[in-house]
Amino acid sequence: MYGFEALTFNIHGGYLEAIVRGHRAGLLTAADYNNLCQCETLDDIKMHLSATEYGPYLQNEPSPLHTTTIVEKCTLKLVDDYKHMLCQATEPLSTFLEYITYGHMIDNVVLIVTGTLHERDVQELLEKCHPLGMFDSIATLAVAQNMRELYRLVLVDTPLAPYFSECITSEDLDDMNIEIMRNTLYKAYLEDFYKFCQKLGGATAEIMSDLLAFEADRRAVNITINSIGTELTRDDRRKLYSNFGLLYPYGHEELAICEDIDQVRGAMEKYPPYQSIFAKLSYGESQMLDKAFYEEEVKRLCLAFEQQFHYAVFFAYMRLREQEIRNLMWISECVAQNQKSRVHDSVVFIF
């Protein structure tokens, strides 16, 4: 019942909502980013981060620091926050929190399968996997030769099993098939998460519908741009789009027939929320599109905290933390490679 969450929400969710709002207060501000952008070395970055919530995670790291170390330790903070919330959560919040990690699971599966295809060491690949997307049998992914084996040997016992029904084929795995598999899995995952949120109802359904619709639309645009000039047919492209979102269904029809970035732009400018995103780009340019989408996503995620008594704050916090880690990785790489002039190119300010 929409509007009556206040009566019962705090019985099970009040403590965790307070916790997540406390974590949100610990996110880096514009002032922090300005200080970080002026750093000369990675040790300076470590010194600035010592006054933030990342301090305890970085304090025992010896010099010389590497970008990977900073990212790893900052990700550890995110993982610890997540595990603490998951331990305290009851149904249906615990299922909601588990849904948040399925995207990372899909990325990890694709990373291992692609790495194995290119004969990379499995141990080295496991170290690159996101810790939130780990599951027990992940190392055995390396033995699979095609989608059917991948499902039968490994994924049948994971939460991703239901999403594989659409992409089980006996074709051998190659780069193109793996990319199609990733997008098919993501489509099934987003649709499932969307249905779950609709079932929860109330403010959670309202806010999460908006956030997931934005994610689905962004993926549709990225799939379109990345498939221009490949052998992917229009029908195959359309099959990879999620069956919800602002662009569904008429926007998908237009995107499916786009042949270049300017046609994508023409299709997207008919939708006011995306008009402002494409207005930031000059014609024929797609490099800054990711940043423009991230900025819009951050705006929407911050708005999720304006309402109370809903689960979308947990999703929003996890996404904002991940964006913050991407920002720190970019700043650290620019400092390490002495490219200070490019430091503002990909930093998305959160507050």
Side-chain angles (χ1 to χ4, degrees):
M1 225 172 14
Y2 187 52
F4 289 85
E5 294 94 339
L7 292 174
T8 56
F9 184 89
N10 283 348
I11 299 169
H12 295 298
Y15 167 70
L16 280 175
E17 193 187 357
I19 288 285
V20 83
R21 286 178 186 274
H23 286 325
R24 177 237 190 218
L27 291 167
L28 300 179
T29 60
D32 290 319
Y33 283 121
N34 287 332
N35 288 335
L36 287 166
C37 290
Q38 288 163 15
C39 290
E40 296 296 329
T41 65
L42 293 182
D43 285 320
D44 291 347
I45 290 177
K46 177 186 165 185
M47 190 178 75
H48 275 295
L49 290 177
S50 63
T52 68
E53 292 191 357
Y54 295 118
Y57 292 87
L58 286 165
Q59 64 187 13
N60 295 324
E61 290 304 311
S63 296
L65 272 177
H66 296 287
T67 306
T68 45
T69 311
I70 293 175
V71 173
E72 215 173 274
K73 295 299 171 187
C74 293
T75 306
L76 194 57
K77 153 82 180 141
L78 171 72
V79 173
D80 286 351
D81 289 348
Y82 173 80
K83 284 183 176 167
H84 174 69
M85 292 190 291
L86 188 62
C87 286
Q88 304 286 338
T90 55
E91 283 296 336
L93 177 55
S94 54
T95 305
F96 181 88
L97 288 172
E98 282 168 6
Y99 265 107
I100 294 173
T101 64
Y102 293 173
H104 294 299
M105 279 189 195
I106 294 169
D107 289 339
N108 285 355
V109 167
V110 171
L111 177 71
I112 299 273
V113 173
T114 312
T116 310
L117 189 68
H118 295 293
E119 298 178 354
R120 304 280 290 279
D121 180 47
V122 177
Q123 201 51 47
E124 181 193 327
L125 293 169
L126 286 173
E127 285 167 16
K128 287 185 179 172
C129 285
H130 197 288
L132 283 178
M134 298 302 265
F135 49 88
D136 292 342
S137 53
I138 192 164
T140 53
L141 287 171
V143 300
Q145 297 299 313
N146 58 43
M147 306 280 191
R148 205 175 289 279
E149 280 184 24
L150 196 67
Y151 177 76
R152 190 173 56 81
L153 297 174
V154 187
L155 296 169
V156 71
D157 294 325
T158 70
L160 300 182
Y163 309 148
F164 256 86
S165 58
E166 281 188 44
C167 58
I168 296 178
T169 61
S170 298
E171 289 177 42
D172 283 351
L173 294 167
D174 59 30
D175 285 338
M176 184 74 163
N177 280 344
I178 292 170
E179 209 44 51
I180 290 172
M181 176 182 84
R182 181 209 293 271
N183 287 307
T184 310
L185 287 176
Y186 249 104
K187 174 192 171 180
Y189 155 60
L190 286 174
E191 286 174 3
D192 190 28
F193 197 4
Y194 184 80
K195 280 180 199 147
F196 177 74
C197 292
Q198 291 296 318
K199 210 165 64 185
L200 290 177
T204 301
E206 183 194 17
I207 299 166
M208 283 305 296
S209 295
D210 179 56
L211 294 174
L212 290 173
F214 178 77
E215 178 70 20
D217 291 344
R218 175 170 61 181
R219 292 196 75 80
V221 172
N222 285 337
I223 287 165
T224 306
I225 292 170
N226 292 336
S227 63
I228 290 170
T230 65
E231 66 257 35
L232 203 67
T233 64
R234 289 173 180 182
D235 287 338
D236 286 343
R237 192 191 283 181
R238 197 182 287 116
K239 280 180 199 161
L240 298 176
Y241 301 151
S242 300
N243 293 328
F244 68 97
L246 190 61
L247 299 178
Y248 175 75
Y250 303 111
H252 290 172
E253 296 296 327
E254 289 192 49
L255 284 178
I257 59 172
C258 288
E259 299 294 340
D260 60 40
I261 180 73
D262 288 334
Q263 287 181 5
V264 174
R265 184 192 192 110
M268 296 299 287
E269 282 181 340
K270 294 173 186 171
Y271 298 87
Y274 302 127
Q275 201 173 359
S276 58
I277 292 176
F278 280 82
K280 296 175 186 176
L281 310 178
S282 54
Y283 278 87
E285 178 189 56
S286 62
Q287 287 88 343
M288 298 303 288
L289 185 59
D290 277 349
K291 186 184 179 185
F293 268 122
Y294 280 138
E295 284 170 348
E296 178 64 24
E297 183 186 33
V298 161
K299 233 182 278 177
R300 290 171 184 234
L301 293 170
C302 289
L303 284 175
F305 286 93
E306 300 298 317
Q307 251 175 291
Q308 267 186 301
F309 312 122
H310 62 89
Y311 292 158
V313 285
F314 298 96
F315 178 82
Y317 169 69
M318 297 296 285
R319 283 299 175 90
L320 288 172
R321 239 338 149 196
E322 284 167 18
Q323 180 58 53
E324 186 171 277
I325 292 167
R326 278 195 293 272
N327 287 344
L328 288 172
M329 180 162 81
W330 177 261
I331 294 169
S332 303
E333 284 290 0
C334 287
V335 169
Q337 295 175 26
N338 209 13
Q339 296 280 337
K340 291 281 290 298
S341 58
R342 296 190 57 203
V343 81
H344 286 286
D345 286 2
S346 281
V347 173
V348 177
F349 291 101
I350 293 173
F351 297 118

